[in-house]
Amino acid sequence: MSFTELFSTYFAYRFLVYIIWDTGEGAWKLFRLHPGFLSFLVLIRWTQLAIGLLQIEQLGRNVVPVVHAISRPESLSFLFFLCIVVLGSFHAYYVFPIKENTGTFSHVMNTFLKIFRLEILGDRQGHRVRGLG
């Protein structure tokens, strides 16, 4: 948690310095050039809020056992197995020489997300995977 506090404090400080002393458009320059920093900062703050909410008895009593259960070696082994199955299915689908599978990195990610949505989320509606249904 100390790393996340340092990270969020540093970027919040940089942002305030830009806002107070910068007269031009530079207030968002850091985050425009590196949008991952802002995204990571937002994620850190929400995660810290979620961890802080675990201190509330009603919420913590119901959530902590679930976190304990999914962090056991048996659950992690199952998640590893599930990742292997999804990656194997993605690779098997990706080798088909169809137009939507070729191109840039975004094409690869779209193909992966199709397989992920089909296998993990059971979503067969929005984007139909060719040859599978």
Side-chain angles (χ1 to χ4, degrees), residues 58-119:
Q58 269 311 85
L59 186 64
R61 188 178 302 232
N62 294 321
V63 172
V64 170
V66 174
V67 172
H68 180 73
I70 61 173
S71 65
R72 299 296 89 204
E74 295 83 7
S75 298
L76 295 175
S77 297
F78 174 72
L79 289 175
F80 178 72
F81 172 77
L82 198 57
C83 286
I84 295 295
V85 169
V86 170
L87 287 174
S89 300
F90 158 69
H91 192 213
Y93 180 67
Y94 185 72
V95 297
F96 284 121
I98 54 178
K99 184 176 180 172
E100 64 187 24
N101 286 355
T102 58
T104 63
F105 180 71
S106 65
H107 287 91
V108 175
M109 286 307 297
N110 286 337
T111 303
F112 176 77
L113 289 175
K114 283 182 187 181
I115 297 299
F116 180 83
R117 286 175 46 188
L118 178 68
E119 290 186 346

